[in-house]
Amino acid sequence: MCNDHSDRFRINIANIDIEEPYKHISGGTLVKNAGAAFSPDPLLSYRFDDVSAGNELRVFFAYPVKYETEYNNSFLNLESLLSGDTDLTVKGDGTVMIDFGSEFAAWLEIMSPDLGDPENIVLSVSEYTSPEIVNRGVQSSKKTRHPVKVSDTVYRLVLNPELYEGVRFGFIHIQGLKKDFHITGVRLVCQVKPVNYYGSFECDNRMLNRIWYTAAYDVRVNLKKDYMSAILIDRGDRHSWTGDAYTAQAASLAAFANYDFVLENLKHTSAHPNGIESFELYWLLSLADYYDFSGDKAGVLSLIDEAVKRLEHANEIFDKNYPLSFFGWDERLGAGFENPDIPENRLSYKFLSIECFKKYADIFNLLGLQDDARRCARYAEEKGILLSSDPLWHKSCGIHAFADSVNAGVADGKVREELFKKFFNDRTNRISYSPFNEFFILKALAKTDKYDDALSSILDLWGSQIEYGGTCFFEVFRPGWKDEIDKNGPLPNSQAGYTSLAHPWSAGVLAFLSTEVLGIKPVKPGFEKFSVIPHLGTQLKNVIGDMPTPHGTIRASFDIKKGIHHVSVPEGTEALVAIPKAGMRISNIELNGSPATFDKEDDDFCYYENISAGEYTFRADYTGMVKKYRAPMFCYPASFKGIDRDANEKYGSDGFFDCSSMVKSKLPEYVEDIVLSRGIYIKNGGSETYGTNYDNVCAQSFTADIKLKRKQKYTVALRFTANAPDCCLAVEMFDAKSLNLIAPVKILKDYCGGAYMVYEYDRSARFRIDHVRGDYISLGCILFGKQKAVE
């Protein structure tokens, strides 16, 4: 066994009786890692001897840490699953669910000396507490099969040619048992790309620490031999997406400093574009990050033609109605592939282009490519003038375009404050449906010095995923899900398809915490010169962490309560260090035991410039009181009135819309139209409903748009009937104009007898109905007006 936090994991890297398809872990050492208390990675403290990009994948074993069954008479000696000497006797039909403690890139195996033909046993794997199901088009859309006998005693669940899936939970199903047999082992065979943790982060908010290490693990567990994969579970898109890779690589550089592998992934994605315009700009920003962190001039020059090609293309299509293909899964971004060419996304694309032009004007100057630098500077200036020629350009911005305008340096102080008040006092809607897109909102909050709001949003979005039970971060997430769904239960599926629970595009928060909260950033490529400017807001009192660089590790710590701050400056580098005032006054600072006058100051920091290699301890005397940050409340302008399970027709006094194509509707006088989209008509006997085409890619939800003739308060009841006992769905409600979420997400299950979801609002609205479980979910009728109070 090898584990420095063995209360949560059981793994084995030493005695591996498998050689295919990968070799087992060998060599290496265990090192002390303070992050063990926060990390979901059982290999956090293992230090590989060789971590080059060309390394093969390695395997290790993970064993059960918990089990659950309702069939205790069918499985004897279940507790042995949690020991090193499993001896489970199977005597009847039933199911055992096994929790391995964290999600792994793995496949499930059981050992039995007397099972023989596995016709009576079925195995499943999942990221949540039910056997996983994904869209068709992959070898195993249901992650459930009879195992394959691979040796005299080993039986393996084989779901795809690569073997691995995203696995947190395993299931043993016994069906029609003919004779008793024994299980002498249950394990995951886990694959891993050798990387080492060189970065770290810890502050006085435990959840933020868990977020940093969960993001790091999310990236690590998705590393393949030659590139960074975008997802663990096999649903047909396990490759490196150019956009997804931006945030994953940013996290990887700060956590692992695996520069050569990041460069290989940049080369890989440059040759495998995804046909998404914004992703090509994110590729440019990724290459810029690589240069900033690694200082690898030769590596950047090897891809400079690819960079120039993308910059020229962005300039060419800047003001054209060129198809964007995708911008994000949020409803306000066109809901993924449903409607990507909306004005919000076109504005965002322009701001991203300007950000890239400005960034590459600087990079080309550093590389000595003066003509390219001047051209990029000219593009940035021309496009900025073009946008600002309309003094009201910002009036058409949504939150995502506003964030991109701030990141591009287009929005001035007055516009920033106006739009900040418009968007960021709404705690619900300042969070994007995807943590990937939220990363850019966090960057904008940092640029507007709204660090408390950024920390609050991080805790809401990423912290809620951990509270739900996640050990990686998800492709999409609503913070309200954790209040509606059982711990580690099946999540809603939507326009993003079947929800991925290990999606490294959501790991950008790690880079934000390291570069903005801990505050370590390169000023010159490769950290030849760097700044340490911590932003603790009013919520944090201390932070400590490491940033790996080509010159060695930068270590910084700031403790406001004690007034003691420390920075390590590696040989060959020079630093600017900012001592935070933290909303107070600093009366005196000592540096390494002697009074030290700072070089400059502003309202937030005292700055020490041109600090050469060495160890520096600052002692600051603080006076005054800090005004505490108070996060705004979660507010919803629409009211969810409840779930009514009385199947009698008790709603519709004002009118109704039947979701069948065969029945004529009678709309209320105040409703102009109702439009159903993204679903299919489903016939069931003599009736017809509108529902999900559940097993198609990205077809796990549909919408119902209610268009009013005027503003008027109304009651609306959505009538659902399940086609099977396991059917489960989620309902989201949006304002039809802003597409802001206006009611809490609600889950409906156990509704075979029918049920109404009842809401009140006073404007046009969109309902999105999301599949959770069952073959399909469907909507039968939309009724207006109430005749009964709902509990």
Side-chain angles (χ1 to χ4, degrees):
M1 296 288 178
C2 163
N3 205 337
D4 68 340
H5 36 323
S6 55
D7 57 323
R8 292 183 287 137
F9 308 109
R10 295 175 59 230
I11 67 167
N12 187 344
I13 65 172
N15 302 306
I16 306 295
D17 57 354
I18 182 172
E19 291 297 332
E20 295 294 339
Y22 310 118
K23 295 180 179 180
H24 62 79
I25 293 172
S26 61
T29 55
L30 282 175
V31 297
K32 187 175 181 180
N33 194 315
F38 315 116
S39 176
D41 186 353
L43 292 178
L44 173 79
S45 300
Y46 185 82
R47 186 64 58 89
F48 287 90
D49 291 336
D50 179 13
V51 291
S52 65
N55 281 346
E56 299 287 333
L57 297 176
R58 296 289 188 264
V59 295
F60 63 95
F61 292 156
Y63 302 104
V65 297
K66 295 179 184 177
Y67 64 85
E68 185 177 314
T69 186
E70 296 178 356
Y71 304 90
N72 290 302
N73 293 332
S74 295
F75 304 96
L76 303 185
N77 200 22
L78 271 168
E79 62 274 10
S80 69
L81 285 171
L82 308 184
S83 72
D85 188 21
T86 299
D87 186 13
L88 171 65
T89 302
V90 181
K91 298 186 70 67
D93 291 357
T95 295
V96 177
M97 182 183 76
I98 298 164
D99 184 356
F100 291 94
S102 196
E103 182 164 350
F104 297 96
W107 56 93
L108 177 63
E109 295 182 345
I110 67 168
M111 279 62 75
S112 174
D114 54 1
L115 172 59
D117 188 345
E119 63 177 339
N120 301 126
I121 184 169
V122 171
L123 302 180
S124 303
V125 294
S126 185
E127 299 174 288
Y128 44 80
T129 55
S130 297
E132 191 141 0
I133 300 171
V134 299
N135 48 269
R136 65 188 178 191
V138 296
Q139 184 167 316
S140 303
S141 58
K142 294 183 177 180
K143 307 304 179 184
T144 301
R145 280 192 178 186
H146 291 288
V148 175
K149 189 173 184 179
V150 295
S151 73
D152 289 343
T153 60
V154 178
Y155 296 81
R156 177 183 296 166
L157 178 60
V158 179
L159 296 171
N160 64 73
E162 293 183 292
L163 296 181
Y164 82 95
E165 295 278 354
V167 185
R168 164 75 183 271
F169 298 94
F171 302 82
I172 300 173
H173 313 277
I174 307 300
Q175 303 168 346
L177 184 66
K178 296 177 181 178
K179 67 171 186 175
D180 296 357
F181 70 95
H182 298 82
I183 295 176
T184 56
V186 178
R187 69 191 184 193
L188 292 182
V189 183
C190 309
Q191 67 181 39
V192 61
K193 175 78 174 181
V195 294
N196 292 326
Y197 285 81
Y198 297 117
S200 70
F201 178 90
E202 186 175 345
C203 67
D204 53 318
N205 185 303
R206 180 180 175 83
M207 181 57 77
L208 289 176
N209 304 336
R210 295 182 68 187
I211 288 168
W212 192 96
Y213 282 97
T214 300
Y217 181 62
D218 194 8
V219 173
R220 182 184 193 173
V221 77
N222 275 279
L223 297 181
K224 301 187 79 166
K225 177 184 179 297
D226 299 315
Y227 59 87
M228 294 181 170
S229 183
I231 179 175
L232 271 192
I233 201 73
D234 181 20
R235 62 179 194 186
D237 54 345
R238 280 200 312 206
H239 49 265
S240 191
W241 292 75
T242 50
D244 297 35
Y246 172 39
T247 44
Q249 288 167 173
S252 196
L253 290 167
F256 310 125
N258 51 343
Y259 305 125
D260 58 346
F261 191 70
V262 170
L263 180 60
E264 288 305 308
N265 200 64
L266 283 163
K267 292 177 179 178
H268 176 85
T269 50
S270 74
H272 299 86
N274 310 122
I276 297 172
E277 291 299 335
S278 60
F279 279 22
E280 296 306 293
L281 299 181
Y282 296 140
W283 184 91
L284 286 167
L285 294 176
S286 290
L287 183 61
D289 280 353
Y290 173 74
Y291 188 34
D292 284 343
F293 276 71
S294 72
D296 178 13
K297 183 175 181 179
V300 174
L301 286 171
S302 72
L303 288 168
I304 208 67
D305 289 344
E306 293 291 338
V308 169
K309 180 172 66 175
R310 285 164 172 79
L311 290 163
E312 292 301 320
H313 178 71
N315 179 62
E316 180 184 348
I317 70 169
F318 184 88
D319 212 31
K320 297 178 181 178
N321 289 325
Y322 202 84
L324 298 175
S325 300
F326 177 89
F327 227 93
W329 293 120
D330 195 283
E331 208 75 25
R332 296 164 292 184
L333 292 173
F337 298 106
E338 291 184 6
N339 190 22
D341 295 320
I342 57 175
E344 171 81 349
N345 294 350
R346 295 204 176 280
L347 267 176
S348 278
Y349 182 81
K350 292 176 180 180
F351 296 134
L352 276 172
S353 297
I354 291 172
E355 183 180 0
C356 288
F357 295 149
K358 289 180 176 180
K359 185 67 178 176
Y360 275 82
D362 293 337
I363 289 174
F364 287 142
N365 268 324
L366 291 171
L367 295 174
L369 303 173
Q370 304 304 325
D371 289 343
D372 291 315
R374 283 190 289 270
R375 186 166 63 254
C376 278
R378 186 178 76 250
Y379 290 165
E381 182 180 9
E382 290 173 351
K383 305 313 181 189
I385 291 172
L386 181 64
L387 279 173
S388 60
S389 63
D390 176 6
L392 300 178
W393 64 266
H394 59 285
K395 298 293 185 182
S396 57
C397 280
I399 189 171
H400 297 90
F402 166 55
D404 288 328
S405 75
V406 171
N407 295 332
V410 174
D412 60 23
K414 183 179 179 180
V415 168
R416 289 183 181 188
E417 284 303 313
E418 177 184 338
L419 294 184
F420 179 86
K421 291 177 183 177
K422 178 179 178 181
F423 294 122
F424 290 101
N425 288 326
D426 182 347
R427 186 172 174 182
T428 301
N429 289 294
R430 68 186 185 184
I431 294 174
S432 189
Y433 186 36
S434 166
F436 173 79
N437 294 104
E438 185 67 18
F439 173 69
F440 304 100
I441 295 174
L442 293 180
K443 288 176 62 178
L445 285 169
K447 287 183 179 293
T448 52
D449 202 28
K450 307 294 184 180
Y451 288 95
D452 277 314
D453 294 282
L455 291 172
S456 173
S457 295
I458 289 170
L459 292 169
D460 284 342
L461 182 54
W462 282 272
S464 292
Q465 294 173 62
I466 292 175
E467 289 175 0
Y468 153 85
T471 60
C472 294
F473 289 131
F474 312 159
E475 183 173 12
V476 293
F477 192 78
R478 300 266 187 223
W481 285 357
K482 75 179 189 324
D483 301 321
E484 288 286 305
I485 297 166
D486 294 337
K487 194 174 184 68
N488 292 115
L491 292 176
N493 308 302
S494 62
Q495 64 267 31
Y498 283 88
T499 300
S500 157
L501 275 64
H503 224 76
W505 85 337
S506 298
V509 65
L510 183 157
F512 182 87
L513 290 172
S514 289
T515 60
E516 294 292 349
V517 179
L518 181 59
I520 303 175
K521 287 183 180 180
V523 174
K524 290 185 177 180
F527 291 88
E528 180 183 339
K529 185 172 184 178
F530 63 91
S531 60
V532 186
I533 308 175
H535 296 95
L536 282 69
T538 63
Q539 301 173 72
L540 302 179
K541 292 301 178 188
N542 61 71
V543 65
I544 183 172
D546 297 307
M547 176 68 76
T549 82
H551 300 276
T553 299
I554 301 167
R555 185 167 182 82
S557 65
F558 296 89
D559 191 320
I560 303 299
K561 190 174 182 179
K562 294 180 179 178
I564 299 174
H565 316 303
H566 185 87
V567 177
S568 299
V569 181
E571 289 292 334
T573 68
E574 184 179 275
L576 178 148
V577 176
I579 304 303
K581 295 183 178 179
M584 296 181 284
R585 294 182 299 278
I586 296 178
S587 58
N588 181 62
I589 299 177
E590 289 185 356
L591 174 56
N592 290 343
S594 300
T597 303
F598 44 79
D599 295 301
K600 61 181 181 179
E601 72 172 318
D602 57 26
D603 290 342
D604 300 313
F605 297 97
C606 297
Y607 298 91
Y608 291 84
E609 299 178 322
N610 306 317
I611 296 181
S612 58
E615 300 289 331
Y616 299 89
T617 298
F618 300 82
R619 293 182 179 270
D621 295 328
Y622 289 93
T623 60
M625 297 290 291
V626 178
K627 185 179 179 180
K628 285 291 185 181
Y629 169 81
R630 302 187 73 174
M633 300 292 291
F634 286 107
C635 296
Y636 299 99
S639 297
F640 174 68
K641 308 306 290 184
I643 299 173
D644 188 347
R645 298 185 183 277
D646 191 334
N648 294 325
E649 295 290 345
K650 295 185 177 179
Y651 300 92
S653 58
D654 291 353
F656 68 92
F657 178 85
D658 197 290
C659 297
S660 166
S661 61
M662 304 182 294
V663 178
K664 188 174 182 180
S665 299
K666 181 184 176 182
L667 294 179
E669 176 275 330
Y670 52 81
V671 175
E672 181 176 320
D673 196 12
I674 294 179
V675 178
L676 302 177
S677 300
R678 313 305 299 182
I680 58 173
Y681 290 102
I682 300 170
K683 292 185 177 180
N684 187 5
S687 64
E688 185 179 70
T689 56
Y690 192 81
T692 54
N693 192 358
Y694 78 101
D695 61 351
N696 277 3
V697 176
C698 297
Q700 284 62 60
S701 72
F702 63 90
T703 58
D705 288 353
I706 299 172
K707 184 177 181 181
L708 299 188
K709 295 178 181 178
R710 60 185 177 275
K711 183 178 179 181
Q712 175 170 326
K713 187 175 182 178
Y714 61 96
T715 298
V716 58
L718 310 181
R719 167 96 164 109
F720 298 98
T721 303
N723 70 306
D726 67 339
C727 280
C728 182
L729 59 84
V731 178
E732 301 175 282
M733 187 181 186
F734 303 93
D735 179 81
K737 182 179 180 181
S738 68
L739 295 178
N740 280 340
L741 191 69
I742 55 173
V745 179
K746 291 296 176 180
I747 302 293
L748 178 63
K749 55 186 176 181
D750 302 325
Y751 61 103
C752 278
Y756 299 92
M757 304 278 280
V758 186
Y759 297 81
E760 283 186 356
Y761 193 44
D762 61 357
R763 305 183 187 197
S764 299
R766 165 175 292 178
F767 286 99
R768 183 175 287 277
I769 318 301
D770 300 323
H771 169 273
V772 180
R773 296 298 279 181
D775 285 348
Y776 62 85
I777 49 101
S778 62
L779 176 64
C781 195
I782 303 173
L783 302 106
F784 296 87
K786 63 181 179 180
Q787 296 181 335
K788 171 189 171 184
V790 181
E791 294 181 2

